[in-house]
Coordinates of all heavy atoms in Angstrom, one line a residue:
E15 N 14.1 -11.4 21.2 CA 13.9 -10.0 20.7 C 14.9 -9.7 19.5 O 14.5 -9.1 18.5 CB 13.9 -9.0 21.8 CG 12.6 -9.0 22.7 CD 11.4 -8.6 22.0 OE1 11.3 -7.5 21.5 OE2 10.5 -9.4 22.0
K18 N 13.9 -11.4 16.4 CA 12.8 -10.7 15.8 C 13.3 -9.4 15.0 O 12.8 -9.1 14.0 CB 11.7 -10.4 16.7 CG 11.0 -11.6 17.2 CD 10.1 -12.2 16.4 CE 9.3 -13.3 16.9 NZ 8.3 -13.9 16.2
M19 N 14.3 -8.7 15.7 CA 14.8 -7.6 15.2 C 15.6 -7.9 13.9 O 15.3 -7.1 12.8 CB 15.7 -6.9 16.1 CG 16.1 -5.5 15.7 SD 17.2 -4.8 16.9 CE 16.5 -4.9 18.5
F21 N 15.0 -10.5 12.0 CA 14.1 -10.9 10.9 C 13.2 -9.6 10.3 O 12.8 -9.6 9.2 CB 13.1 -12.0 11.4 CG 13.8 -13.4 11.2 CD1 14.0 -14.1 12.4 CD2 14.0 -13.8 10.1 CE1 14.6 -15.3 12.3 CE2 14.6 -15.2 10.0 CZ 14.8 -15.9 11.1
A22 N 13.0 -8.6 11.2 CA 12.3 -7.5 10.8 C 13.1 -6.8 9.8 O 12.7 -6.2 8.7 CB 12.0 -6.6 11.9
S23 N 14.3 -6.6 10.0 CA 15.2 -6.0 9.1 C 15.3 -6.8 7.8 O 15.4 -6.1 6.7 CB 16.7 -5.9 9.6 OG 16.8 -5.2 10.9
F25 N 12.9 -8.7 6.5 CA 11.7 -8.4 5.8 C 11.6 -7.0 5.1 O 11.1 -6.9 4.0 CB 10.6 -8.7 6.5 CG 10.2 -10.1 6.6 CD1 10.5 -11.0 7.7 CD2 9.6 -10.7 5.5 CE1 10.1 -12.3 7.7 CE2 9.1 -12.0 5.5 CZ 9.4 -12.9 6.6
A26 N 12.3 -6.0 5.8 CA 12.4 -4.7 5.2 C 13.3 -4.8 3.9 O 12.8 -4.2 2.9 CB 13.1 -3.7 6.2
A56 N 5.7 -10.9 6.4 CA 6.1 -10.1 7.6 C 5.1 -10.0 8.8 O 5.5 -10.3 9.8 CB 6.7 -8.6 7.3
G57 N 4.0 -9.7 8.3 CA 2.8 -9.7 9.4 C 2.5 -11.1 9.9 O 2.4 -11.2 11.2
L60 N 6.1 -12.5 11.7 CA 6.7 -11.7 12.8 C 5.6 -11.2 13.7 O 6.0 -10.5 14.7 CB 7.5 -10.5 12.1 CG 8.7 -10.9 11.2 CD1 9.3 -9.7 10.7 CD2 9.7 -11.7 12.1
K61 N 4.3 -11.3 13.3 CA 3.3 -10.9 14.1 C 3.2 -9.3 14.0 O 3.9 -8.6 13.4 CB 3.2 -11.3 15.6 CG 3.4 -12.8 15.6 CD 2.4 -13.6 14.8 CE 2.6 -15.1 15.0 NZ 3.0 -15.7 13.7
S62 N 2.3 -8.7 14.8 CA 2.0 -7.3 14.7 C 3.2 -6.3 15.0 O 3.3 -5.3 14.2 CB 0.7 -6.9 15.6 OG 1.1 -7.2 16.9
K63 N 3.8 -6.6 16.1 CA 4.8 -5.6 16.5 C 6.0 -5.6 15.5 O 6.3 -4.5 14.9 CB 5.4 -5.9 17.9 CG 6.6 -5.0 18.3 CD 7.1 -5.5 19.7 CE 8.4 -4.6 20.0 NZ 8.9 -5.2 21.3
W64 N 6.6 -6.7 15.3 CA 7.8 -6.7 14.4 C 7.4 -6.7 12.9 O 8.2 -6.1 12.2 CB 8.6 -7.9 14.8 CG 9.2 -7.8 16.2 CD1 8.9 -8.4 17.2 CD2 10.3 -6.9 16.4 NE1 9.7 -8.0 18.4 CE2 10.5 -7.0 18.0 CE3 11.1 -6.0 15.8 CZ2 11.4 -6.3 18.5 CZ3 12.1 -5.3 16.5 CH2 12.3 -5.4 17.9
G65 N 6.3 -7.2 12.6 CA 5.9 -7.1 11.2 C 5.7 -5.7 10.8 O 6.2 -5.3 9.7
S66 N 4.9 -4.9 11.5 CA 4.7 -3.5 11.2 C 6.0 -2.7 11.3 O 6.1 -1.7 10.5 CB 3.6 -2.9 12.0 OG 4.0 -3.0 13.5
L67 N 6.8 -3.1 12.3 CA 8.1 -2.3 12.4 C 9.0 -2.5 11.1 O 9.7 -1.7 10.7 CB 8.9 -2.6 13.6 CG 8.4 -2.0 14.9 CD1 9.1 -2.6 16.1 CD2 8.6 -0.5 15.0
S68 N 8.9 -3.7 10.6 CA 9.7 -3.9 9.4 C 9.3 -3.1 8.3 O 10.2 -2.5 7.4 CB 9.6 -5.5 9.0 OG 8.4 -5.8 8.5
M69 N 7.9 -2.8 8.2 CA 7.5 -1.9 7.1 C 7.7 -0.5 7.4 O 7.9 0.3 6.5 CB 5.9 -2.2 6.8 CG 5.6 -3.6 6.4 SD 6.6 -4.0 4.8 CE 7.7 -5.2 5.4
V70 N 7.7 -0.1 8.6 CA 8.2 1.2 9.1 C 9.6 1.5 8.7 O 9.9 2.4 8.0 CB 8.0 1.5 10.6 CG1 8.6 2.8 11.1 CG2 6.4 1.5 10.9
V71 N 10.5 0.5 8.9 CA 11.8 0.6 8.5 C 12.0 0.7 7.0 O 12.7 1.6 6.5 CB 12.7 -0.6 9.1 CG1 14.1 -0.7 8.4 CG2 12.9 -0.5 10.6
Y72 N 11.2 -0.1 6.3 CA 11.2 0.0 4.9 C 10.8 1.5 4.3 O 11.5 2.0 3.4 CB 10.3 -1.1 4.3 CG 9.9 -0.8 2.8 CD1 10.7 -1.2 1.8 CD2 8.7 -0.3 2.5 CE1 10.3 -0.9 0.6 CE2 8.3 -0.1 1.2 CZ 9.1 -0.4 0.2 OH 8.8 -0.2 -1.1
T73 N 9.7 2.0 5.0 CA 9.2 3.3 4.5 C 10.3 4.3 4.9 O 10.5 5.2 4.1 CB 7.9 3.4 5.2 OG1 7.0 2.5 4.9 CG2 7.3 4.8 4.8
L74 N 10.9 4.3 6.1 CA 11.8 5.2 6.5 C 13.0 5.3 5.5 O 13.6 6.3 5.2 CB 12.2 5.1 8.0 CG 11.2 5.4 9.0 CD1 11.6 5.1 10.4 CD2 10.7 6.9 8.8
F104 N 1.1 -0.8 3.5 CA 2.0 -1.9 4.0 C 2.0 -2.0 5.5 O 2.1 -3.1 6.0 CB 3.4 -1.7 3.4 CG 3.5 -1.9 1.9 CD1 4.7 -1.5 1.3 CD2 2.4 -2.3 1.1 CE1 4.7 -1.7 -0.1 CE2 2.5 -2.4 -0.2 CZ 3.6 -2.2 -0.9
I105 N 2.2 -0.8 6.1 CA 2.4 -0.7 7.5 C 1.3 -1.3 8.2 O 1.3 -2.2 9.2 CB 2.9 0.7 8.0 CG1 4.1 1.1 7.4 CG2 3.0 0.7 9.5 CD1 4.4 2.6 7.5
L106 N 0.0 -0.7 8.0 CA -1.1 -1.1 8.6 C -1.5 -2.6 8.2 O -2.0 -3.3 9.1 CB -2.3 -0.2 8.1 CG -3.6 -0.3 8.9 CD1 -3.5 -0.2 10.4 CD2 -4.6 0.7 8.4
A108 N 0.7 -5.1 7.6 CA 1.4 -6.0 8.4 C 1.0 -6.0 9.9 O 1.0 -7.1 10.5 CB 2.9 -5.5 8.4
F109 N 0.7 -4.9 10.4 CA 0.1 -4.9 11.7 C -1.2 -5.6 12.0 O -1.2 -6.5 12.7 CB -0.1 -3.4 12.2 CG -0.7 -3.3 13.6 CD1 0.3 -3.5 14.6 CD2 -2.0 -3.1 13.9 CE1 -0.3 -3.4 16.0 CE2 -2.4 -3.1 15.1 CZ -1.6 -3.2 16.2

Side-chain angles (χ1 to χ4, degrees):
E15 288 294 301
K18 294 288 188 175
M19 191 181 309
F21 279 114
S23 299
F25 274 104
L60 296 175
K61 308 305 182 249
S62 61
K63 176 183 174 183
W64 291 104
S66 59
L67 279 175
S68 71
M69 293 305 113
V70 168
V71 167
Y72 164 76
T73 304
L74 291 174
F104 291 173
I105 299 167
L106 189 55
F109 179 81

